[in-house]
Amino acid sequence: MRSINDCYTLSNGVKIPCIGFGTYNAKGGDNLAINRTAIEAGYRYFDTASLYETERVLGQAVRESGIPREEFFIVSKLWIDERGYQEAREAFARTLDRLQMDYLDLYLIHWPRGKEGDCDWKEKDLDTWRALEELYQSGKVRGIGLSNFLPHHTENILKNCTVKPVVDQLEIHPGYTQEAAVRYCFEHDIRVQAWSPLGRSAMLDHPVLKEYAEKYGKTVAQICLRFLLQKGIIPLVKSSAMERMKQNQDIFDFELTAEDMSIINNMPQNTWLGEHPDFAIPKKKSNFAQ
Ligand code: A2P
């Protein structure tokens, strides 16, 4: 990989850029301006979700850029309360409507299970998946996948699917590398994507990472992103400023040694952001009316 829009090939043959731009919860709030700036900075792969409430402004920024839709890689996700066969079909239609697009590059199930008491989550995920398979087969989406699915959640899909998930999007950054889940994905040819690759900036003051930043003449953010790139994981990086959007692309002219990779990989695993599919559920609800 030599630049952010160089691609991996997913298991269904679709090409996916090696770095994406995350649209969740941008600081400063002006998501339209941020997406416009990100396009200007060169990003073409954008990750959104019905939960984020950024689909409308992303669609607008893409249209107004004048760049053909086919040059973008647009990913969205359905939320916990949009799971189910009919619900998923309707959620997908709402997403396309908000984006004002006629297809997606990837569509993902955002979260594998609901609150405690969501006893039928396995069945629900399978009903949802069936709807996604049909959307894929009808050509409305170029690939279907998962987000925040751990091996036991994914196993349920793999045992029963006719179309395999091509990606799984997980919280991954130095200090929370989710090795078991990542290994499982690689073994099953599911490309891993990392949300919050900078640990929502919590890692930026880490003394060990700061030492590496000095050693390689880069910033801590660039060390975090390069670490993921060398693991074959796609970082979905967010920033509200052109300068940092560009800085986050400048990671192709250095390489972390195998020893440094190992040290970062094996840092204490104590910086997860507190959202785990089996142990804590995000409280936010989707807003169909957005
Ligand atoms: P900002 O919008 O001011 O650039 P994550 O993707 O792990 O959730 O982290 C996102 C946070 O990291 C944002 O608050 C963003 O702030 C900050 N950020 C993004 N890129 C950089 C960078 N290169 N240097 C410092 N902070 C960054």
Side-chain angles (χ1 to χ4, degrees):
M1 300 293 160
R2 284 160 194 269
S3 81
I4 58 161
N5 292 316
D6 281 356
C7 290
Y8 298 108
T9 303
L10 296 173
S11 64
N12 67 349
V14 165
K15 302 242 188 263
I16 184 169
C18 65
I19 296 193
F21 189 82
T23 66
Y24 175 60
N25 208 13
K27 253 200 246 164
D30 188 351
N31 286 309
L32 178 58
I34 290 169
N35 284 309
R36 281 182 179 143
T37 310
I39 294 172
E40 204 187 316
Y43 291 94
R44 292 295 176 268
Y45 169 5
F46 285 84
D47 180 80
T48 182
S50 61
L51 181 76
Y52 304 166
E53 299 181 23
T54 50
E55 291 171 319
R56 264 183 219 289
V57 287
L58 173 60
Q60 186 180 342
V62 166
R63 273 192 313 286
E64 289 176 1
S65 72
I67 298 165
R69 162 70 181 90
E70 306 71 55
E71 290 186 24
F72 287 91
F73 194 93
I74 305 292
V75 181
S76 195
K77 321 182 191 77
L78 59 86
W79 188 233
I80 293 173
D81 54 3
E82 293 174 311
R83 289 175 312 150
Y85 176 76
Q86 193 51 32
E87 291 86 343
R89 294 172 67 87
E90 290 169 8
F92 183 79
R94 282 193 297 270
T95 278
L96 284 190
D97 184 56
R98 287 191 289 259
L99 284 161
Q100 288 289 293
M101 291 180 183
D102 51 12
Y103 73 96
L104 285 185
D105 292 282
L106 290 180
Y107 195 45
L108 318 182
I109 306 181
H110 203 149
W111 204 263
R113 58 190 296 184
K115 296 186 185 61
E116 282 163 48
D118 183 7
C119 307
D120 64 346
W121 64 267
K122 286 189 178 170
E123 237 167 79
K124 218 156 204 175
D125 284 356
L126 292 180
D127 287 345
T128 311
W129 193 253
R130 201 157 43 86
L132 266 57
E133 289 180 328
E134 287 179 16
L135 292 168
Y136 176 67
Q137 274 145 357
S138 71
K140 290 199 168 89
V141 56
R142 298 174 67 227
I144 52 177
L146 309 169
S147 178
N148 300 296
F149 275 57
L150 299 175
H152 46 286
H153 309 122
T154 307
E155 197 70 14
N156 176 42
I157 303 283
L158 289 182
K159 274 194 185 141
N160 296 287
C161 65
T162 53
V163 179
K164 274 185 56 178
V166 290
V167 298
D168 191 5
Q169 189 179 125
L170 300 164
E171 177 191 344
I172 302 176
H173 45 78
Y176 195 58
T177 47
Q178 302 222 51
E179 287 293 296
V182 169
R183 195 175 326 111
Y184 177 91
C185 286
F186 272 87
E187 281 166 10
H188 292 85
D189 208 4
I190 297 171
R191 179 65 58 176
V192 178
Q193 309 171 317
W195 61 261
S196 279
L198 313 178
R200 282 192 198 142
S201 68
M203 298 312 291
L204 298 180
D205 286 325
H206 195 286
V208 171
L209 296 179
K210 276 173 145 174
E211 266 175 42
Y212 284 129
E214 200 159 314
K215 172 175 170 183
Y216 288 94
K218 290 284 173 181
T219 65
V220 172
Q222 289 169 321
I223 298 290
C224 291
L225 298 172
R226 179 73 206 185
F227 167 72
L228 293 168
L229 185 79
Q230 283 184 220
K231 284 165 74 75
I233 293 174
I234 299 174
L236 302 170
V237 67
K238 307 188 279 287
S239 178
S240 53
M242 175 63 101
E243 185 199 339
R244 289 186 290 286
M245 288 177 190
K246 288 212 162 139
Q247 184 197 113
N248 294 340
Q249 302 183 20
D250 182 19
I251 60 164
F252 297 93
D253 61 350
F254 74 110
E255 188 167 350
L256 299 166
T257 65
E259 185 177 318
D260 292 346
M261 283 294 290
S262 175
I263 291 170
I264 299 174
N265 232 352
N266 291 288
M267 280 168 59
Q269 300 294 298
N270 57 3
T271 56
W272 72 299
L273 297 170
E275 293 166 358
H276 188 289
D278 296 315
F279 296 100
I281 304 296
K283 290 186 187 70
K284 206 166 164 185
K285 283 202 161 192
S286 71
N287 172 11
F288 293 165
Q290 55 177 278

